[in-house]
Amino acid sequence: MLLTLGLLSYLPLCAQNPIIRDQFTADPTARVFNGKMYLYPSHDIPAPAGQRQDWFCMADYHVFSSENLTDWEDHGVIVTHNDVEWVRPESYAMWAPDCVCKNGKYYFYFPASPKSGRGFGIGVGISDSPSGPFRFEPNMIQGAMGIDPCVLIDDDGTSYLYWSGMGIRGCKLKDNMTELDGQSQQMEGLPDGFKEGPFAFKRNGIYYLTFPWVRKEGGTETLAYSTSTSPLGPWTFKGLIMAEHSNGCWTNHHSIVEYKGEWYLFYHHNDLSPKFDKNRSAHIDKITFAKNGDIIEVKPTIRGVGINPSTSRIEIDRYDEPGKGVTVEFVDTANTFKGWYATLTDKDSWLTYRDVDFSDLGASGYLIANVKAENNTELIIKEKNAKGKTLAKVKVVCMTEGQFRRDNRGRWMTLTSSLDYIPKGVTDLYITSADGNVSIDWIQFKNRDKYFQPASSGSARPDDQGFIRRWLLLDPIDKPNRSNTVFTDSYLQENFNKEYFANQFTAVPKSGQQEKVEKQVLTWHGLDSERFNVKLFRFADLNQKQIYGVLFWGVTVINCDEEIPNVRLAAGSNSASSWWLNGEQVLLLSGDRRMVEDDGMSQRLTLKKGKNILRCAVINGPGMSDFCVRFLDESGKPVTNYTINIE
């Protein structure tokens, strides 16, 4: 039988434990093929009606891959319990698998319930690719009755199959990788107590047989190991790889693999299903060896492994080290796949998150944080520790008073913040708060879209559609407006024609020049817009200025080699705007508007030979602001035979 895979899916970046967040992934066997890590877990699912509800339920296998151990690609289903000739349909017993490569072929080993007889048999699928599709042998491996198959290919190419069931057994495989070569034997020298899930590997001439082990009556599984100078023993028991799960999760199951010079332990835990330990999820932590080859006991972490790009979502609740007063809870107890959030309960609470790579964050980067609080506070992010440089201070304003009153206490808010400092390369983050009692779901550093570039030297031209993109823009003037419905003609004429700063209707300012408007000190910026519509909202945000309830002022210079008569100024704006050419108001767009191309047109105008000064003012209330403007000729075609500068 040849089974094709389902559609690929790309999981969100997730350097934290558990590593797969959209399904349960127990018994994770990891293998390195062609310089990439592949993961072959079993797949816990909720038991359907008619099946035992308090036991393991597994109908199929998926395969995942990753190059960096942080983002994982789901290649889809390898096989289900209804697709193999010898497997009993609807048996829901596709337990821990393995996959190895020999002579260019990939062999997928799995246990399942046979159509005839009791217990488990072990089957094999064969493929030319580690992700399939696999062709499954019609019969199970004769003489191998049990669960949790594992294959070791020795340095000389000899292959060995291990499995569990009434202890742990092993046997040499024939070269075809689908038959035992002789009689299997019990692995001797292992400790007393329940054992299953063998995983064998070789390192520096030492054979390791590792296995889940219940070391005391009534206890739960540890991960333990024995070593030998022979692939089939006898074995010498050495000790623990990982102690029992602290929350009482009964099982653990694992694999150990070297990748890019580091050794990793893959294992499982029921942290996404804390009330039912038959739904498990794959984790990764680093594993180290003593000089004599002994395994140093691994302490499980929630941070996991891998370097987290700063521009991917960083789940702070998967921290490395917490200070006092840090709590972690599910975002949604009804859907645990949404993950967790961390709460800093007082002003002395803190946590650290290691290995964040800032290489892809540019100088205009900023921070997004998904947070909630009961009172206004400030989230503080530093580099490395409490004395490190401050990257950002995120003002968490859940309550406001006055004209724009808000009450977002206890509600998730996605907030943005500018950065005071951007680290270089890979570093650690230290998170704390000014007053405590703030919860963080995630943070993410982002590069700003390039809405603007500093105006280049020399002259510019309108774009192919005639839109004017080079402007001198003034930092926004505070002009509180509760609603855009107040933007009547009379209101606008009064407020647009008011003098806010000296020579506002006559002078052409210089980039960097400052104006004093009441208590504000505002700066002119010479910019080229990357888009035909000039994003005033983004301009204000980029310069860390007020974005709502403001008045924007812009100036540009149109240079004509000859007089251009009978043109119309065509503009659109969000919200209301006024336009002046050479000191005369030529267009007023009133009311609550959305930016629409050529939303309003002036009377016929003449662009005189030489310099023409075009000014605009755009006002908004609780909304975004942008504009677009161009000149059209009598036939409605864009006028483009002029240059633009800001001098």
Side-chain angles (χ1 to χ4, degrees):
M1 170 181 286
L2 184 69
L3 192 72
T4 58
L5 300 182
L7 295 175
L8 304 185
S9 68
Y10 292 86
L11 305 179
L13 288 173
C14 184
Q16 306 94 349
N17 283 327
I19 59 172
I20 308 297
R21 298 290 185 87
D22 66 343
Q23 59 189 281
F24 295 114
T25 48
D27 311 320
T29 296
R31 295 293 188 181
V32 178
F33 300 128
N34 306 316
K36 182 185 289 189
M37 184 75 79
Y38 284 82
L39 184 67
Y40 301 86
S42 56
H43 184 197
D44 292 333
I45 61 172
Q51 294 297 314
R52 183 175 170 180
Q53 299 295 303
D54 63 346
W55 196 239
F56 306 103
C57 188
M58 305 163 176
D60 58 35
Y61 297 104
H62 285 239
V63 56
F64 303 84
S65 69
S66 175
E67 292 185 354
N68 57 13
L69 307 185
T70 61
D71 51 310
W72 292 85
E73 179 183 337
D74 184 353
H75 295 271
V77 174
I78 294 177
V79 65
T80 79
H81 55 187
N82 297 328
D83 298 322
V84 181
E85 190 172 333
W86 64 268
V87 175
R88 179 166 57 87
E90 305 298 317
S91 52
Y92 294 98
M94 309 292 273
W95 288 15
D98 192 10
C99 187
V100 296
C101 181
K102 186 173 183 179
N103 297 328
K105 297 289 185 180
Y106 296 87
Y107 297 87
F108 179 76
Y109 297 84
F110 64 99
S113 295
K115 288 179 178 177
S116 59
R118 302 182 63 183
F120 282 79
I122 294 173
V124 187
I126 305 171
S127 175
D128 294 323
S129 166
S131 58
F134 286 87
R135 176 183 57 81
F136 287 87
E137 295 291 292
N139 300 307
M140 56 188 172
I141 299 176
Q142 296 302 308
M145 297 296 294
I147 59 173
D148 307 337
C150 167
V151 172
L152 168 68
I153 301 177
D154 209 346
D155 299 336
D156 63 1
T158 306
S159 302
Y160 300 87
L161 176 68
Y162 306 83
W163 67 93
S164 58
M166 303 299 291
I168 295 176
R169 303 189 70 83
C171 188
K172 183 180 175 182
L173 281 169
K174 292 184 178 180
D175 287 341
N176 62 16
M177 301 293 284
T178 62
E179 297 178 274
L180 299 183
D181 189 4
Q183 293 293 317
S184 67
Q185 61 188 74
Q186 192 83 13
M187 296 296 97
E188 301 294 340
L190 307 184
D192 293 336
F194 178 78
K195 297 171 290 296
E196 61 172 344
F199 186 84
F201 66 97
K202 186 178 183 182
R203 178 183 180 273
N204 294 342
I206 300 173
Y207 295 91
Y208 292 78
L209 182 62
T210 66
F211 44 87
W213 172 50
V214 179
R215 57 177 167 174
K216 54 188 176 183
E217 187 174 350
T220 61
E221 288 184 340
T222 66
L223 297 178
Y225 76 107
S226 296
T227 62
S228 177
T229 57
S230 169
L232 295 175
W235 301 93
T236 300
F237 179 64
K238 302 296 289 187
L240 293 187
I241 301 169
M242 180 177 283
E244 297 88 347
H245 287 309
S246 61
N247 72 334
C249 177
W250 198 89
T251 67
N252 202 347
H253 194 111
H254 68 297
S255 56
I256 297 171
V257 63
E258 184 182 18
Y259 186 58
K260 297 182 179 180
E262 299 273 5
W263 284 83
Y264 296 95
L265 171 68
F266 288 73
Y267 61 100
H268 72 219
H269 191 243
N270 70 320
D271 38 7
L272 285 173
S273 178
K275 295 181 180 180
F276 185 59
D277 66 358
K278 307 303 184 289
N279 289 339
R280 289 81 43 95
S281 298
H283 288 225
I284 318 174
D285 276 306
K286 287 185 178 181
I287 190 169
T288 56
F289 296 82
K291 289 183 178 180
N292 65 355
D294 288 353
I295 294 175
I296 307 301
E297 185 175 332
V298 177
K299 304 297 182 183
T301 74
I302 57 177
R303 171 61 178 86
V305 302
I307 295 173
N308 207 138
S310 65
T311 50
S312 71
R313 187 170 289 190
I314 302 168
E315 297 184 18
I316 294 301
D317 51 83
R318 307 288 87 189
Y319 49 71
D320 286 275
E321 183 181 1
K324 69 174 184 178
V326 176
T327 62
V328 175
E329 299 179 64
F330 281 115
V331 172
D332 183 350
T333 55
N335 182 5
T336 58
F337 290 126
K338 290 184 178 180
W340 300 264
Y341 68 90
T343 298
L344 307 176
T345 60
D346 60 56
K347 65 180 182 179
D348 296 322
S349 298
W350 56 270
L351 54 85
T352 58
Y353 188 99
R354 294 196 178 99
D355 294 338
V356 179
D357 187 1
F358 285 85
S359 298
D360 291 336
L361 190 68
S364 63
Y366 64 103
L367 174 71
I368 302 177
N370 199 43
V371 301
K372 67 178 180 179
E374 293 298 328
N375 296 291
N376 294 345
T377 186
E378 192 172 54
L379 181 68
I380 302 169
I381 300 175
K382 297 187 175 185
E383 185 178 21
K384 295 184 179 179
N385 52 48
K387 296 181 179 180
K389 290 183 178 180
T390 299
L391 279 70
K393 293 183 177 181
V394 184
K395 293 188 180 301
V396 183
V397 181
C398 53
M399 293 187 63
T400 61
E401 301 295 338
Q403 190 173 11
F404 298 106
R405 187 178 186 279
R406 298 283 190 276
D407 187 350
N408 289 318
R409 288 176 294 182
R411 298 178 182 176
W412 288 109
M413 300 179 291
T414 302
L415 306 177
T416 62
S417 173
S418 59
L419 297 177
D420 298 322
Y421 164 69
I422 298 177
K424 303 295 184 183
V426 179
T427 191
D428 304 335
L429 299 180
Y430 175 92
I431 296 96
T432 186
S433 68
D435 305 300
N437 199 25
V438 60
S439 299
I440 312 105
D441 184 9
W442 50 265
I443 66 172
Q444 185 175 7
F445 297 86
K446 297 196 73 174
N447 288 303
R448 294 185 186 275
D449 288 338
K450 291 186 177 180
Y451 293 99
F452 298 95
Q453 294 279 9
S456 59
S457 59
S459 297
R461 286 191 172 275
D463 66 19
D464 291 342
Q465 298 301 311
F467 289 104
I468 300 169
R469 299 192 182 196
R470 175 165 292 186
W471 289 88
L472 279 160
L473 297 177
L474 182 65
D475 288 334
I477 299 169
D478 289 346
K479 190 71 182 68
N481 296 290
R482 178 180 289 273
S483 169
N484 293 351
T485 59
V486 303
F487 297 153
T488 61
D489 286 5
S490 59
Y491 177 91
L492 294 174
Q493 294 290 19
E494 176 185 349
N495 286 278
F496 283 150
N497 291 304
K498 174 182 175 182
E499 184 174 288
Y500 294 95
F501 52 90
N503 304 314
Q504 70 183 37
F505 289 108
T506 57
V508 177
K510 294 184 180 297
S511 183
Q513 179 178 319
Q514 292 188 326
E515 309 286 0
K516 192 169 189 313
V517 181
E518 296 183 352
K519 295 181 179 180
Q520 292 182 275
V521 177
L522 308 177
T523 302
W524 287 97
H525 303 267
L527 299 170
D528 286 329
S529 174
E530 292 286 322
R531 292 164 169 77
F532 81 96
N533 54 328
V534 180
K535 295 284 190 178
L536 297 172
F537 175 90
R538 300 297 180 185
F539 161 72
D541 182 53
L542 181 65
N543 290 290
Q544 303 174 42
K545 301 298 182 183
Q546 179 73 23
I547 54 180
Y548 303 124
V550 292
L551 174 65
F552 294 95
W553 206 267
V555 181
T556 195
V557 180
I558 309 297
N559 295 292
C560 301
D561 291 335
E562 59 185 5
E563 183 179 277
I564 309 176
N566 297 320
V567 300
R568 296 176 187 268
L569 182 137
S573 64
N574 183 356
S575 240
S577 63
S578 181
W579 300 84
W580 295 266
L581 180 65
N582 296 326
E584 297 293 330
Q585 187 181 51
V586 296
L587 182 62
L588 180 68
L589 298 178
S590 57
D592 184 10
R593 292 176 176 271
R594 294 295 177 263
M595 205 290 298
V596 178
E597 182 180 311
D598 305 336
D599 191 25
M601 288 197 192
S602 71
Q603 299 294 318
R604 290 183 179 85
L605 305 169
T606 295
L607 290 172
K608 64 184 182 180
K609 181 179 180 179
K611 183 182 292 186
N612 297 264
I613 311 301
L614 180 62
R615 303 177 194 274
C616 71
V618 181
I619 194 169
N620 80 346
M624 296 187 180
S625 299
D626 61 345
F627 71 80
C628 66
V629 64
R630 60 181 172 174
F631 291 99
L632 301 177
D633 64 17
E634 285 278 73
S635 62
K637 294 181 179 179
V639 177
T640 59
N641 57 329
Y642 59 84
T643 60
I644 311 162
N645 62 33
I646 51 175
E647 297 175 352

